[in-house]
Amino acid sequence: MRAGTSDNRRGHWSGIVDVDRLSRETGDRMNSARTRTLFDLPPVVPFPTARPGMGFDEASAAVVDYLKSVLPLGFWAVTRYDGVRQLYLEVRDDAYGLGPGGSHLWTDSMCIDMVTGRAPSIAPDAMTVPDYAAAGIAAQIDIGAYIGIPIVQANGELFGTLCGLDPAAQSDQLMLHAPWLEILGMLLSVILDADLERTRQARARERAEMAAESDPLTGLFNRRDWDRCMANEESRSRRFGDPGAVVVIDLDSLKAVNATLGQAAGHELIKAAGRVLLETVSDSDIVARLGGGEFGVIASNVVPEQCEHLVDRIVTGFEQAGVSGSIGHAPHTIAGGFSGAFADAVAAMYEQKLRRQAYAIAS
């Protein structure tokens, strides 16, 4: 397994974690700091709530509760790296006023230096570590002590981190907790992988069931399927912190085509739009005909910049197919969920439609 790499000190990171290397380096630092015997090690309190079939969100909550009770730093969190941000999924915080759904840029984090091996996974006095002292997050909040443990998927790709912070520096005894902190990180990684596999299987079953009731004109999912997918994807996004977005399209000229060329021509326009959408989105995205000439896309695992590119591809595909449509899009957020993103995308679509109509009148 190869280590993550970056284009510069705090630049783009490849996303692959060498967990063995991190473990060795943490062990070396812990051994160099240790002046005690094994009998002086802090007692390991049993982890009480692990069980077969546990979901990743349940495990995350249990781990941060456990750590807050046995190693009470001011902040403990399970975080998600979404390619751009470090998103807080599960948080126990009495120091900074942070909570689930909060985030900061990954390039501002301390965890980027931890996973690439530039800095230790445990830093009792974080500001004595040059990379941590230079981190953007250190300019936003007071960080005296830092702990970061990677949470990785089975292919070695980074999912996020188990992260502890405190405004005050701690003693070197903090290093003695390294072995069981690594075990908790591995526990979360194993539970994550099992939960992701269950989710993949559930998605496949759902889509097979919905395909039997698809929109007869386009073969896309129908409005009832859309509502079901919105609810299911909302639950999954809250569990894993997956980024996502909603795109809404309304064909501009459908009523005019129906009125002048007949309903059959209107149907052909709708089918052409559906084909463009199917050819443009990824296999994991959800495309539905919501009614009339209105379509919706739930784009999974995309950050806002990627959603912009998706919309650009849809516009290009429509132009090539002779289809005209107003398009709105909005990112998923923890606070608003997919229902909020859908409402924002609809509003953006109607705003674009009004602009296009005003431009057409002025021309």
Side-chain angles (χ1 to χ4, degrees):
M1 195 184 303
R2 63 185 177 88
T5 58
S6 60
D7 298 333
N8 50 54
R9 199 193 71 81
R10 306 196 67 78
H12 176 71
W13 177 64
S14 68
I16 305 297
V17 182
D18 190 337
V19 179
D20 292 336
R21 174 184 55 75
L22 284 170
S23 179
R24 288 194 304 272
E25 291 174 356
T26 299
D28 291 342
R29 294 184 181 102
M30 184 182 71
N31 289 332
S32 65
R34 180 180 295 156
T35 59
R36 303 162 184 83
T37 69
L38 289 176
F39 297 102
D40 296 318
L41 289 173
V44 177
V45 179
F47 184 63
T49 54
R51 57 175 175 76
M54 191 178 220
F56 181 70
D57 53 340
E58 299 174 286
S60 297
V63 165
V64 292
D65 281 339
Y66 175 69
L67 287 171
K68 195 64 176 165
S69 67
V70 302
L71 189 54
L73 299 183
F75 171 92
W76 279 106
V78 171
T79 76
R80 172 72 191 269
Y81 167 55
D82 70 2
V84 175
R85 303 168 302 159
Q86 184 169 21
L87 177 69
Y88 317 141
L89 297 185
E90 196 70 46
V91 179
R92 301 295 179 270
D93 174 35
D94 52 27
Y96 301 109
L98 302 174
S103 67
H104 56 263
L105 290 174
W106 178 246
T107 51
D108 283 343
S109 73
M110 290 183 169
C111 291
I112 189 174
D113 296 308
M114 177 272 295
V115 298
T116 52
R118 289 189 294 255
S121 60
I122 300 179
D125 189 351
M127 292 303 98
T128 64
V129 179
D131 285 296
Y132 289 158
I137 192 66
Q140 300 172 37
I141 57 177
D142 294 328
I143 300 176
Y146 166 81
I147 293 174
I149 306 294
I151 301 170
V152 296
Q153 300 182 57
N155 62 1
E157 185 175 335
L158 182 73
F159 174 86
T161 65
L162 174 61
C163 183
L165 304 171
D166 197 88
Q170 305 292 306
S171 76
D172 284 348
Q173 263 195 308
L174 198 64
M175 305 291 291
L176 301 180
H177 296 281
W180 60 274
L181 287 168
E182 290 181 9
I183 289 172
L184 289 176
M186 286 188 287
L187 170 70
L188 288 174
S189 296
V190 169
I191 292 174
L192 168 69
D193 197 54
D195 205 356
L196 287 173
E197 180 57 31
R198 286 195 298 269
T199 297
R200 282 190 286 268
Q201 294 176 5
R203 275 198 179 109
R205 289 194 301 270
E206 289 163 7
R207 297 192 182 194
E209 292 168 3
M210 291 187 296
E213 302 176 356
S214 60
D215 173 59
L217 186 61
T218 62
L220 303 176
F221 293 139
N222 58 33
R223 180 57 188 257
R224 184 169 65 177
D225 296 334
W226 172 263
D227 292 338
R228 178 180 172 185
C229 287
M230 289 267 286
N232 290 340
E233 293 304 313
E234 179 61 33
S235 172
R236 289 160 186 157
S237 181
R238 290 186 180 277
R239 191 157 76 250
F240 301 119
D242 291 339
V246 174
V247 182
V248 175
I249 304 102
D250 190 51
L251 301 184
D252 289 336
S253 54
L254 181 60
K255 288 183 180 180
V257 169
N258 284 335
T260 58
L261 300 178
Q263 192 174 53
H267 285 175
E268 289 303 314
L269 182 64
I270 291 170
K271 288 192 283 187
R275 285 194 298 270
V276 169
L277 292 174
L278 279 179
E279 292 168 358
T280 304
V281 304
S282 72
D283 292 339
S284 60
D285 294 340
I286 294 162
V287 186
R289 181 185 174 207
L290 304 180
E294 189 173 0
F295 299 84
V297 178
I298 298 176
S300 58
N301 284 305
V302 297
V303 297
E305 182 180 0
Q306 293 169 318
C307 185
E308 293 276 1
H309 293 326
L310 171 61
V311 171
D312 289 342
R313 294 196 302 272
I314 292 173
V315 170
T316 299
F318 276 4
E319 290 174 350
Q320 293 172 347
V323 175
S324 174
S326 298
I327 303 176
H329 61 92
H332 171 274
T333 64
I334 295 292
F338 275 108
S339 60
F342 181 41
D344 290 344
V346 170
M349 180 272 292
Y350 278 118
E351 183 178 341
Q352 186 185 85
K353 184 176 286 290
L354 289 173
R355 288 198 307 268
R356 290 161 70 94
Q357 291 172 345
Y359 178 80
I361 292 171
S363 300

Coordinates of all heavy atoms in Angstrom, one line a residue, residues 142-223:
D142 N -7.8 27.7 18.9 CA -6.6 27.4 19.7 C -6.5 25.9 19.9 O -7.4 25.2 20.4 CB -6.7 28.0 21.1 CG -6.7 29.5 21.1 OD1 -6.0 30.1 20.2 OD2 -7.3 30.2 21.9
I143 N -5.3 25.3 19.4 CA -5.1 23.9 19.5 C -3.8 23.7 20.2 O -2.7 24.0 19.8 CB -5.0 23.2 18.1 CG1 -6.4 23.5 17.4 CG2 -4.7 21.7 18.2 CD1 -6.4 23.0 15.9
G144 N -3.9 23.1 21.4 CA -2.7 22.8 22.2 C -2.3 21.4 22.0 O -1.1 21.1 21.8
A145 N -3.2 20.4 21.9 CA -2.9 19.0 21.7 C -3.7 18.5 20.6 O -4.9 18.9 20.3 CB -3.2 18.2 23.0
Y146 N -3.1 17.5 19.8 CA -3.8 17.0 18.6 C -3.6 15.4 18.6 O -2.6 14.9 18.9 CB -3.2 17.5 17.4 CG -3.5 16.8 16.1 CD1 -4.8 17.0 15.5 CD2 -2.7 15.8 15.6 CE1 -5.1 16.2 14.3 CE2 -3.0 15.1 14.5 CZ -4.2 15.3 13.8 OH -4.6 14.6 12.7
I147 N -4.7 14.7 18.3 CA -4.7 13.3 18.0 C -5.4 13.1 16.7 O -6.5 13.6 16.5 CB -5.3 12.5 19.1 CG1 -4.5 12.6 20.4 CG2 -5.5 11.0 18.7 CD1 -5.2 11.9 21.6
G148 N -4.8 12.3 15.8 CA -5.5 12.0 14.5 C -5.2 10.5 14.1 O -4.0 10.1 14.1
I149 N -6.2 9.8 13.9 CA -6.1 8.4 13.5 C -6.9 8.2 12.2 O -8.1 8.5 12.1 CB -6.7 7.4 14.5 CG1 -6.1 7.7 15.9 CG2 -6.5 6.0 14.1 CD1 -4.6 7.4 16.0
P150 N -6.2 7.7 11.1 CA -7.0 7.6 9.8 C -8.0 6.5 9.9 O -7.9 5.5 10.5 CB -5.9 7.2 8.8 CG -4.8 6.6 9.7 CD -4.8 7.2 11.0
I151 N -9.1 6.7 9.2 CA -10.2 5.7 8.9 C -10.1 5.5 7.4 O -10.3 6.4 6.6 CB -11.6 6.3 9.4 CG1 -11.6 6.6 10.9 CG2 -12.7 5.2 9.1 CD1 -12.8 7.4 11.3
V152 N -9.9 4.2 7.1 CA -9.6 3.9 5.7 C -10.6 2.8 5.2 O -11.1 2.0 5.9 CB -8.2 3.4 5.4 CG1 -7.2 4.6 5.8 CG2 -7.9 2.2 6.3
Q153 N -10.8 2.9 3.9 CA -11.6 1.9 3.2 C -10.7 0.7 2.9 O -9.5 0.7 3.0 CB -12.3 2.4 2.0 CG -13.2 3.6 2.3 CD -13.9 4.2 1.1 OE1 -14.6 3.4 0.4 NE2 -13.7 5.4 0.9
A154 N -11.4 -0.4 2.5 CA -10.6 -1.7 2.2 C -9.5 -1.5 1.2 O -8.5 -2.2 1.2 CB -11.6 -2.8 1.9
N155 N -9.8 -0.6 0.2 CA -8.8 -0.4 -0.9 C -7.7 0.5 -0.5 O -6.8 0.9 -1.3 CB -9.5 0.1 -2.1 CG -10.2 1.5 -1.9 OD1 -10.1 2.0 -0.8 ND2 -10.8 2.0 -3.0
G156 N -7.6 1.0 0.8 CA -6.6 1.9 1.3 C -6.9 3.3 1.1 O -6.1 4.2 1.5
E157 N -8.1 3.6 0.5 CA -8.4 5.0 0.3 C -8.9 5.6 1.6 O -9.7 5.0 2.3 CB -9.5 5.1 -0.8 CG -9.9 6.6 -1.2 CD -10.9 6.6 -2.3 OE1 -11.0 5.6 -3.1 OE2 -11.6 7.6 -2.4
L158 N -8.5 6.9 1.8 CA -8.9 7.5 3.0 C -10.3 7.9 3.0 O -10.8 8.5 2.1 CB -8.0 8.8 3.2 CG -8.3 9.6 4.5 CD1 -7.7 8.9 5.7 CD2 -7.8 11.0 4.4
F159 N -11.1 7.5 4.1 CA -12.4 8.0 4.3 C -12.5 9.2 5.1 O -13.2 10.2 4.8 CB -13.2 6.8 5.0 CG -14.6 7.2 5.4 CD1 -15.7 7.1 4.4 CD2 -14.9 7.7 6.6 CE1 -17.0 7.5 4.8 CE2 -16.2 8.1 7.0 CZ -17.2 8.0 6.1
G160 N -11.7 9.2 6.2 CA -11.7 10.3 7.2 C -10.8 10.1 8.3 O -9.9 9.3 8.2
T161 N -11.1 10.7 9.4 CA -10.2 10.5 10.6 C -11.0 10.4 11.9 O -12.1 11.0 12.0 CB -9.2 11.6 10.7 OG1 -9.9 12.9 11.0 CG2 -8.3 11.8 9.5
L162 N -10.4 9.8 12.9 CA -10.8 10.0 14.3 C -9.9 11.0 14.8 O -8.7 10.9 14.8 CB -10.7 8.6 15.0 CG -10.9 8.6 16.5 CD1 -12.3 9.0 16.8 CD2 -10.6 7.2 17.1
C163 N -10.5 12.1 15.3 CA -9.7 13.3 15.6 C -10.0 13.8 17.0 O -11.2 14.0 17.4 CB -10.0 14.4 14.6 SG -9.0 15.9 14.8
G164 N -9.0 14.1 17.8 CA -9.1 14.7 19.1 C -8.3 16.0 19.2 O -7.2 16.0 18.7
L165 N -8.9 17.0 19.8 CA -8.2 18.3 20.0 C -8.4 18.8 21.4 O -9.5 18.5 22.0 CB -8.7 19.3 19.0 CG -8.7 19.0 17.5 CD1 -9.5 20.1 16.8 CD2 -7.3 18.9 17.0
D166 N -7.5 19.6 21.9 CA -7.7 20.3 23.2 C -7.0 21.7 23.1 O -5.9 21.8 22.5 CB -7.2 19.5 24.3 CG -7.8 20.0 25.7 OD1 -8.9 19.5 26.0 OD2 -7.2 20.9 26.3
P167 N -7.6 22.7 23.7 CA -7.0 24.0 23.6 C -5.6 24.0 24.4 O -4.8 24.9 24.1 CB -8.0 24.9 24.3 CG -9.3 24.2 24.2 CD -9.0 22.8 24.2
A168 N -5.5 23.1 25.4 CA -4.3 23.1 26.2 C -3.4 22.0 25.8 O -3.8 20.9 25.4 CB -4.6 23.0 27.7
A169 N -2.1 22.3 25.8 CA -1.1 21.2 25.6 C -1.2 20.2 26.7 O -1.6 20.5 27.8 CB 0.3 21.8 25.5
Q170 N -0.9 18.9 26.4 CA -1.0 17.8 27.3 C 0.4 17.3 27.6 O 1.4 17.6 26.9 CB -1.8 16.7 26.7 CG -3.2 17.1 26.3 CD -4.1 17.6 27.5 OE1 -4.3 16.8 28.4 NE2 -4.7 18.8 27.4
S171 N 0.5 16.4 28.6 CA 1.8 15.8 28.9 C 2.1 14.7 27.9 O 1.2 14.2 27.2 CB 1.8 15.2 30.3 OG 1.0 14.0 30.3
D172 N 3.4 14.2 27.9 CA 3.8 13.2 27.0 C 3.1 11.9 27.3 O 3.2 10.9 26.5 CB 5.3 13.0 27.1 CG 6.1 14.1 26.3 OD1 5.4 14.8 25.6 OD2 7.3 14.2 26.5
Q173 N 2.4 11.8 28.4 CA 1.6 10.5 28.7 C 0.6 10.3 27.7 O 0.1 9.1 27.5 CB 0.9 10.7 30.1 CG 1.7 10.0 31.2 CD 0.8 9.9 32.4 OE1 0.2 10.8 32.9 NE2 0.8 8.7 33.0
L174 N 0.2 11.3 27.0 CA -0.8 11.2 25.9 C -0.3 10.1 24.9 O -1.1 9.4 24.3 CB -1.1 12.5 25.2 CG -2.3 12.7 24.4 CD1 -3.6 12.5 25.2 CD2 -2.3 14.0 23.6
M175 N 1.0 10.0 24.7 CA 1.5 9.1 23.7 C 1.2 7.6 24.1 O 1.2 6.8 23.2 CB 3.0 9.3 23.6 CG 3.5 10.7 23.3 SD 3.1 11.1 21.6 CE 4.1 10.1 20.6
L176 N 1.0 7.4 25.4 CA 0.8 6.0 25.8 C -0.5 5.4 25.4 O -0.7 4.2 25.5 CB 1.0 5.9 27.3 CG 2.3 6.4 27.9 CD1 2.3 6.3 29.4 CD2 3.5 5.6 27.3
H177 N -1.4 6.3 24.9 CA -2.7 5.8 24.5 C -2.7 5.4 23.0 O -3.7 4.9 22.5 CB -3.7 7.0 24.7 CG -4.0 7.4 26.1 ND1 -4.8 6.7 26.9 CD2 -3.5 8.4 26.8 CE1 -4.8 7.3 28.1 NE2 -4.0 8.3 28.1
A178 N -1.6 5.5 22.3 CA -1.5 5.2 20.9 C -2.0 3.8 20.5 O -2.8 3.7 19.6 CB -0.1 5.4 20.4
P179 N -1.7 2.7 21.2 CA -2.1 1.4 20.8 C -3.6 1.2 20.7 O -4.1 0.8 19.7 CB -1.5 0.4 21.8 CG -0.3 1.2 22.3 CD -0.7 2.6 22.4
W180 N -4.3 1.6 21.8 CA -5.8 1.4 21.7 C -6.5 2.4 20.9 O -7.6 2.2 20.3 CB -6.4 1.3 23.1 CG -6.2 2.4 24.0 CD1 -5.2 2.7 24.9 CD2 -7.2 3.4 24.3 NE1 -5.4 3.8 25.6 CE2 -6.6 4.3 25.3 CE3 -8.5 3.7 23.8 CZ2 -7.3 5.4 25.7 CZ3 -9.1 4.8 24.2 CH2 -8.6 5.7 25.2
L181 N -5.9 3.6 20.7 CA -6.5 4.6 19.7 C -6.4 4.0 18.3 O -7.3 4.1 17.5 CB -5.7 5.9 19.8 CG -6.0 6.8 21.0 CD1 -5.0 7.9 21.1 CD2 -7.4 7.3 20.9
E182 N -5.3 3.4 17.9 CA -5.1 2.7 16.6 C -6.2 1.6 16.5 O -6.7 1.4 15.4 CB -3.7 2.2 16.4 CG -2.7 3.3 16.3 CD -1.3 2.7 16.1 OE1 -1.2 1.5 15.9 OE2 -0.3 3.5 16.1
I183 N -6.4 0.9 17.6 CA -7.4 -0.2 17.5 C -8.8 0.4 17.3 O -9.6 -0.2 16.4 CB -7.4 -1.0 18.8 CG1 -6.1 -1.9 18.9 CG2 -8.6 -1.9 19.0 CD1 -5.9 -2.5 20.3
L184 N -9.1 1.5 17.9 CA -10.4 2.1 17.6 C -10.5 2.6 16.2 O -11.6 2.5 15.6 CB -10.6 3.3 18.6 CG -10.9 2.9 20.1 CD1 -11.0 4.2 20.9 CD2 -12.1 2.1 20.2
G185 N -9.4 3.1 15.6 CA -9.4 3.5 14.2 C -9.6 2.3 13.3 O -10.4 2.4 12.3
M186 N -9.0 1.2 13.6 CA -9.2 0.0 12.8 C -10.6 -0.5 13.0 O -11.2 -1.0 12.0 CB -8.2 -1.1 13.2 CG -6.8 -0.8 12.7 SD -5.6 -2.2 13.0 CE -5.4 -2.1 14.8
L187 N -11.2 -0.5 14.2 CA -12.6 -0.9 14.4 C -13.5 -0.1 13.5 O -14.4 -0.6 12.8 CB -12.9 -0.7 15.9 CG -14.4 -0.9 16.2 CD1 -14.8 -2.3 16.1 CD2 -14.7 -0.4 17.6
L188 N -13.3 1.2 13.5 CA -14.2 2.1 12.6 C -14.0 1.8 11.2 O -15.0 1.7 10.4 CB -13.9 3.6 12.9 CG -14.4 4.1 14.2 CD1 -13.9 5.5 14.4 CD2 -15.9 4.0 14.3
S189 N -12.8 1.5 10.7 CA -12.5 1.1 9.3 C -13.2 -0.1 8.9 O -13.8 -0.2 7.9 CB -11.0 1.0 9.1 OG -10.3 2.3 9.3
V190 N -13.1 -1.2 9.8 CA -13.8 -2.4 9.5 C -15.3 -2.3 9.5 O -16.0 -2.8 8.5 CB -13.4 -3.5 10.6 CG1 -14.2 -4.7 10.4 CG2 -11.9 -3.8 10.4
I191 N -15.9 -1.6 10.4 CA -17.3 -1.4 10.4 C -17.8 -0.5 9.2 O -18.8 -0.8 8.6 CB -17.8 -0.7 11.8 CG1 -17.6 -1.7 12.9 CG2 -19.2 -0.3 11.7 CD1 -17.8 -1.1 14.3
L192 N -17.0 0.5 8.9 CA -17.3 1.3 7.7 C -17.3 0.4 6.5 O -18.3 0.5 5.7 CB -16.2 2.3 7.5 CG -16.2 3.1 6.2 CD1 -17.4 4.0 6.1 CD2 -14.9 3.9 6.0
D193 N -16.4 -0.5 6.3 CA -16.3 -1.3 5.1 C -17.5 -2.2 5.0 O -18.1 -2.4 3.9 CB -15.0 -2.1 5.0 CG -14.7 -2.6 3.6 OD1 -14.7 -1.8 2.7 OD2 -14.5 -3.8 3.5
A194 N -17.9 -2.8 6.1 CA -19.1 -3.7 6.1 C -20.3 -2.9 5.8 O -21.2 -3.4 5.1 CB -19.2 -4.4 7.5
D195 N -20.5 -1.7 6.4 CA -21.6 -0.9 6.2 C -21.7 -0.4 4.8 O -22.8 -0.4 4.2 CB -21.6 0.3 7.2 CG -23.0 0.8 7.5 OD1 -24.0 0.3 6.9 OD2 -23.1 1.8 8.3
L196 N -20.6 0.0 4.2 CA -20.6 0.4 2.8 C -21.1 -0.8 1.9 O -21.8 -0.5 0.9 CB -19.2 0.9 2.4 CG -18.8 2.2 2.9 CD1 -17.3 2.5 2.6 CD2 -19.7 3.4 2.4
E197 N -20.6 -2.0 2.2 CA -21.0 -3.1 1.3 C -22.5 -3.4 1.5 O -23.2 -3.6 0.5 CB -20.2 -4.4 1.7 CG -20.6 -5.6 0.9 CD -20.4 -5.4 -0.6 OE1 -19.5 -4.6 -1.0 OE2 -21.2 -6.1 -1.3
R198 N -23.0 -3.3 2.7 CA -24.5 -3.4 2.9 C -25.2 -2.4 2.1 O -26.3 -2.6 1.5 CB -24.8 -3.4 4.4 CG -24.5 -4.6 5.2 CD -25.2 -4.6 6.5 NE -24.8 -3.5 7.3 CZ -23.8 -3.4 8.2 NH1 -23.0 -4.5 8.3 NH2 -23.5 -2.4 8.9
T199 N -24.7 -1.2 2.1 CA -25.3 -0.1 1.4 C -25.3 -0.3 -0.1 O -26.3 0.0 -0.8 CB -24.6 1.3 1.7 OG1 -24.8 1.5 3.1 CG2 -25.2 2.4 1.0
R200 N -24.2 -0.8 -0.6 CA -24.2 -1.1 -2.1 C -25.2 -2.1 -2.5 O -25.9 -2.0 -3.5 CB -22.8 -1.6 -2.5 CG -21.7 -0.5 -2.6 CD -20.4 -1.0 -3.2 NE -19.7 -1.8 -2.2 CZ -18.8 -1.3 -1.4 NH1 -18.5 0.0 -1.4 NH2 -18.1 -2.1 -0.6
Q201 N -25.3 -3.1 -1.7 CA -26.3 -4.2 -1.9 C -27.8 -3.7 -1.8 O -28.6 -4.0 -2.7 CB -26.1 -5.4 -1.0 CG -24.8 -6.1 -1.2 CD -24.6 -7.2 -0.2 OE1 -25.5 -7.5 0.7 NE2 -23.4 -7.8 -0.2
A202 N -28.0 -2.8 -0.8 CA -29.3 -2.2 -0.7 C -29.7 -1.4 -1.8 O -30.8 -1.4 -2.4 CB -29.4 -1.5 0.6
R203 N -28.7 -0.5 -2.3 CA -29.0 0.3 -3.5 C -29.3 -0.5 -4.7 O -30.3 -0.2 -5.5 CB -27.8 1.2 -3.8 CG -27.6 2.4 -3.0 CD -26.7 3.4 -3.6 NE -26.5 4.6 -2.9 CZ -25.5 5.0 -2.2 NH1 -24.4 4.2 -2.2 NH2 -25.4 6.2 -1.6
A204 N -28.6 -1.6 -4.9 CA -28.9 -2.5 -6.1 C -30.3 -3.0 -6.0 O -31.0 -3.1 -7.0 CB -27.8 -3.6 -6.2
R205 N -30.7 -3.5 -4.8 CA -32.0 -4.1 -4.7 C -33.1 -3.0 -4.9 O -34.1 -3.3 -5.6 CB -32.2 -4.6 -3.3 CG -31.4 -5.9 -3.0 CD -31.9 -6.6 -1.7 NE -31.8 -5.7 -0.6 CZ -30.7 -5.7 0.2 NH1 -29.7 -6.5 -0.1 NH2 -30.7 -4.9 1.2
E206 N -32.9 -1.8 -4.4 CA -33.9 -0.7 -4.5 C -34.0 -0.4 -6.0 O -35.2 -0.2 -6.5 CB -33.4 0.5 -3.7 CG -33.6 0.3 -2.2 CD -32.7 1.4 -1.5 OE1 -32.2 2.3 -2.2 OE2 -32.6 1.3 -0.3
R207 N -32.9 -0.3 -6.7 CA -33.0 0.2 -8.1 C -33.6 -0.9 -9.0 O -34.4 -0.6 -9.9 CB -31.6 0.6 -8.6 CG -31.1 1.8 -7.8 CD -29.9 2.4 -8.4 NE -29.5 3.5 -7.6 CZ -28.6 4.4 -7.9 NH1 -28.1 4.4 -9.2 NH2 -28.3 5.4 -7.1
A208 N -33.4 -2.2 -8.6 CA -34.0 -3.2 -9.4 C -35.6 -3.2 -9.2 O -36.3 -3.4 -10.1 CB -33.5 -4.6 -9.0
E209 N -36.0 -3.0 -7.9 CA -37.4 -2.9 -7.6 C -38.1 -1.7 -8.3 O -39.2 -1.8 -8.9 CB -37.6 -2.8 -6.1 CG -37.2 -4.0 -5.4 CD -37.2 -3.8 -3.9 OE1 -37.5 -2.7 -3.4 OE2 -36.8 -4.8 -3.1
M210 N -37.4 -0.6 -8.3 CA -38.0 0.7 -8.9 C -38.0 0.6 -10.4 O -38.9 1.2 -11.0 CB -37.2 1.9 -8.4 CG -37.4 2.2 -7.0 SD -36.7 3.8 -6.4 CE -34.9 3.5 -6.7
A211 N -37.0 -0.1 -11.0 CA -37.0 -0.2 -12.5 C -38.3 -0.9 -13.0 O -38.7 -0.6 -14.2 CB -35.8 -1.0 -12.9
A212 N -38.9 -1.7 -12.2 CA -40.2 -2.4 -12.7 C -41.3 -1.4 -12.8 O -42.3 -1.7 -13.4 CB -40.5 -3.5 -11.7
E213 N -41.2 -0.2 -12.1 CA -42.3 0.8 -12.1 C -41.8 2.1 -12.7 O -42.2 3.2 -12.4 CB -42.7 1.0 -10.7 CG -43.2 -0.2 -10.0 CD -43.6 0.0 -8.5 OE1 -43.4 1.2 -8.1 OE2 -44.1 -0.9 -7.9
S214 N -40.9 2.0 -13.7 CA -40.3 3.2 -14.2 C -41.2 4.0 -15.1 O -42.3 3.5 -15.5 CB -39.0 2.9 -15.0 OG -39.3 2.0 -16.1
D215 N -40.9 5.3 -15.4 CA -41.7 6.1 -16.2 C -41.8 5.5 -17.6 O -40.7 5.2 -18.3 CB -41.0 7.5 -16.4 CG -41.7 8.4 -17.4 OD1 -42.9 8.6 -17.2 OD2 -41.0 8.8 -18.3
P216 N -43.0 5.2 -18.1 CA -43.1 4.4 -19.4 C -42.6 5.2 -20.6 O -42.2 4.5 -21.6 CB -44.6 4.2 -19.5 CG -45.3 5.3 -18.6 CD -44.3 5.5 -17.5
L217 N -42.5 6.5 -20.6 CA -42.1 7.2 -21.8 C -40.6 7.2 -21.9 O -40.1 7.1 -23.0 CB -42.7 8.7 -21.7 CG -42.4 9.5 -22.9 CD1 -43.1 8.9 -24.2 CD2 -43.0 10.9 -22.7
T218 N -39.9 7.4 -20.8 CA -38.4 7.6 -20.9 C -37.6 6.4 -20.3 O -36.4 6.3 -20.6 CB -38.0 8.8 -20.1 OG1 -38.4 8.6 -18.7 CG2 -38.7 10.1 -20.6
G219 N -38.3 5.5 -19.5 CA -37.6 4.5 -18.9 C -36.8 4.9 -17.6 O -36.2 4.1 -17.0
L220 N -36.9 6.2 -17.3 CA -36.3 6.8 -16.1 C -37.2 6.4 -14.9 O -38.3 6.0 -15.0 CB -36.2 8.3 -16.2 CG -35.4 8.8 -17.4 CD1 -35.4 10.3 -17.4 CD2 -33.9 8.3 -17.4
F221 N -36.6 6.7 -13.7 CA -37.4 6.6 -12.5 C -38.5 7.6 -12.5 O -38.4 8.6 -13.1 CB -36.6 6.8 -11.2 CG -35.5 5.7 -11.0 CD1 -34.2 6.0 -10.6 CD2 -35.8 4.4 -11.2 CE1 -33.3 5.0 -10.4 CE2 -34.9 3.4 -11.0 CZ -33.6 3.7 -10.6
N222 N -39.7 7.3 -11.8 CA -40.8 8.2 -11.8 C -40.8 9.0 -10.5 O -39.8 8.9 -9.7 CB -42.1 7.5 -12.0 CG -42.3 6.4 -10.9 OD1 -41.8 6.6 -9.7 ND2 -43.0 5.3 -11.2
R223 N -41.8 9.9 -10.3 CA -41.8 10.8 -9.2 C -41.8 10.0 -7.9 O -41.2 10.4 -6.9 CB -43.0 11.7 -9.3 CG -43.0 12.7 -8.1 CD -41.8 13.5 -8.0 NE -41.7 14.4 -6.8 CZ -41.9 15.7 -6.8 NH1 -42.2 16.3 -8.0 NH2 -41.8 16.4 -5.7

